[in-house]
């Protein structure tokens, strides 16, 4: 159940930290968003979240670990797992993703990360394949930008604008 913005603004930081961490598992980002409270409106909250990016490559690597593979159902419970299920609802070609994910992980050493909300499985698979040509540093930067998009999408689910 989303928090009202007024509740988010006044709640104890320890009470809203888990909701923000479910949006993006980067402690520096969570701290920056918390430090900006109170927010006049949801757009101000989104602006603060965007200003806390880009993410550092070590933050990207750590945050990626909190995400399931595209095409696989999350095994954990909680808001972030439910959001992943919803975001990946357009993936209807999970079998094709198994081989592509394996190739990606062999190349980069981490799961493929993309903001999947509203995108088809074919589009996501094409995105994965196109990113195989990136060098590892560039790919971490791309994954970081995707994490920021996911965070904004999830903030819309966590905080009632």
């Amino acid at each position: 159940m989303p928090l009202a913005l007024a509740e988010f603004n006044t709640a104890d930081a320890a009470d809203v930290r888990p909701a923000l961490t479910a949006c993006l598992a980067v402690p520096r980002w969570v701290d920056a968003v918390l430090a900006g409270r109170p927010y006049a409106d949801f757009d101000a909250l989104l602006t603060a979240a965007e200003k806390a990016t880009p993410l550092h490559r070590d933050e990207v690597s750590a945050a990626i670990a909190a995400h399931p593979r595209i095409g696989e159902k999350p095994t954990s419970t909680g808001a972030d797992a439910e959001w992943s299920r919803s975001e990946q609802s357009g993936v209807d070609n999970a079998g094709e993703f198994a081989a592509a994910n394996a190739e990606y992980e062999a190349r980069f050493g981490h799961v493929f990360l993309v903001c999947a909300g509203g995108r088809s499985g074919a589009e996501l698979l094409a995105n994965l394949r196109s990113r195989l040509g990136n060098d590892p540093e560039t790919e971490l930067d791309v994954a970081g930008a995707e994490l920021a998009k996911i965070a904004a999408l999830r903030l819309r689910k966590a905080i009632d604008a």
Side-chain angles (χ1 to χ4, degrees), residues 90-132:
V91 176
D92 55 2
N93 53 348
E96 291 179 75
F97 266 103
N101 279 331
E103 182 179 358
Y104 180 94
E105 289 174 31
R107 171 137 171 74
F108 297 113
H110 57 80
V111 300
F112 169 69
L113 190 97
V114 66
C115 185
R119 297 168 80 181
S120 71
E123 182 181 357
L124 297 171
L125 189 59
N127 184 272
L128 183 156
R129 290 183 173 140
S130 73
R131 287 170 49 186
L132 284 169

Side-chain angles (χ1 to χ4, degrees), residues 43-116:
D43 287 340
L45 170 59
L46 277 179
T47 298
E50 290 171 11
K51 284 184 179 179
T53 61
L55 302 174
H56 306 286
R57 289 181 179 148
D58 61 326
E59 294 171 328
V60 173
S61 295
I64 286 173
H67 288 266
R69 285 178 183 88
I70 294 288
E72 291 184 7
K73 301 297 181 204
T75 57
S76 61
T77 59
D80 53 340
E82 185 58 36
W83 292 335
S84 285
R85 282 183 198 86
S86 171
E87 293 158 4
Q88 291 192 39
S89 64
V91 176
D92 55 2
N93 53 348
E96 291 179 75
F97 266 103
N101 279 331
E103 182 179 358
Y104 180 94
E105 289 174 31
R107 171 137 171 74
F108 297 113
H110 57 80
V111 300
F112 169 69
L113 190 97
V114 66
C115 185

Side-chain angles (χ1 to χ4, degrees), residues 14 16-17 20 26 34 49 62 86 125 131 134 136 155:
V16 293
R17 183 175 296 280
L20 289 174
V26 173
L34 286 171
S86 171
L125 189 59
R131 287 170 49 186
N134 289 342
L155 272 174

